[in-house]
């Protein structure tokens, strides 16, 4: 099963207009479509999409590492689950930039499980690490800190490989690089968890770049930011996954 995930970030999206222009008939049943609106739109989008676009699944862009209690300004995974979310992005580079450390991210993955949400764990190197040949080290570090301590992990997890320099840059990574990293991730996951996990790529995916990226072995889908704001473009990206 392939995954196509939309990360709408903090953009204003007209939900009715987006749904009206998003043609689910164009998308194969073999692809799970997960839309991650901002927190405030989740419930509304869930209600609207479950009338006309039943196949769409809903995700949050983040969640608290706690489940309940005196945590001012935080949003619980339980609350997200209650309003229709079944996934949550965890550890996006834009959240890591604003102070999320590895321990917090590990706790968030665990909390997502506890709240019956499927975490989409984002990992990836920055430009400097890439230039110095440090990609493998960074990937290994993040998986070791953010996921592998959760031994006996039997629940679903998506890993999103998102090299930071590719996000929002208009330039996706080269297939050779993606192929190399996908092999590294799959092998690390197998060695440490004894199973395979779904791996998606994110970073300037468009209908154009997706055609090429989808050829990479081991890539089970995409996490799409900017291009997912346009429902027609987003549906075209799905076509490349078939
Ligand atoms: P982008 O964002 O597709 O706009 O590069 C991807 C992401 O940040 O998840």
């Amino acid at each position: 099963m392939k995954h196509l995930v939309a990360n709408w970030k903090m953009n204003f999206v007209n939900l009715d207009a987006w749904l009206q222009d998003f043609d689910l008939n164009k998308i194969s049943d073999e692809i799970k479509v997960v839309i991650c609106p901002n927190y405030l739109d989740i419930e509304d989008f869930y209600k609207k999409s479950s009338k006309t676009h039943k196949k769409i699944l809903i995700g949050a862009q983040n969640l608290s590492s706690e489940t309940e209690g005196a945590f001012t300004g935080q949003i619980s995974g339980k609350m997200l689950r209650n309003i229709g979310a079944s996934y949550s992005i965890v550890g996006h580079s834009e959240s890591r930039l604003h102070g999320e450390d590895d321990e917090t991210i590990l706790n968030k993955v665990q909390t997502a499980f506890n709240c019956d949400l499927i975490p989409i764990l984002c990992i990836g190197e920055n430009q400097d690490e890439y230039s110095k040949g440090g990609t493998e080290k960074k990937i290994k570090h993040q998986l070791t800190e953010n996921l592998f301590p959760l031994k006996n992990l039997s629940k679903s997890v998506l890993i999103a490989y998102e090299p930071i320099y590719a996000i929002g840059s208009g330039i996706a990574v080269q297939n050779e690089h993606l192929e190399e990293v996908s092999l590294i991730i799959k092998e690390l996951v197998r060695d440490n968890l004894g199973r395979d996990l779904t791996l998606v790529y994110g970073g300037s995916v468009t209908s154009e770049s997706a055609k090429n990226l989808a050829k990479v072995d081991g890539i089970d889908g995409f996490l799409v930011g900017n291009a997912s704001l346009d429902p027609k473009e987003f549906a075209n990206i799905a076509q490349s996954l078939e």
Side-chain angles (χ1 to χ4, degrees), residues 186-203:
K186 295 250 162 168
E187 200 172 301
L188 280 168
V189 166
R190 236 173 270 138
D191 288 352
N192 286 276
L193 300 175
R195 55 183 284 226
D196 286 322
L197 294 179
T198 302
L199 174 64
V200 300
Y201 166 78

Side-chain angles (χ1 to χ4, degrees), residues 3 5 7 88-93 96 119-125 139 142-143 146-147 157-164 167 178 181 185 197-203 219-224:
H3 275 79
V5 185
N7 176 9
S88 179
I89 294 174
V90 178
H92 190 282
S93 61
R96 291 183 193 255
I120 304 169
L121 173 65
C122 299
I123 58 172
E125 79 280 18
I139 297 291
Q142 289 183 318
L143 288 174
N146 303 159
L147 187 66
V157 187
L158 260 68
I159 295 178
Y161 171 57
E162 298 209 301
I164 298 168
I167 295 176
L178 186 55
V181 176
I185 294 174
L197 294 179
T198 302
L199 174 64
V200 300
Y201 166 78
I219 292 299
D220 310 307
F222 298 121
L223 173 48
V224 187

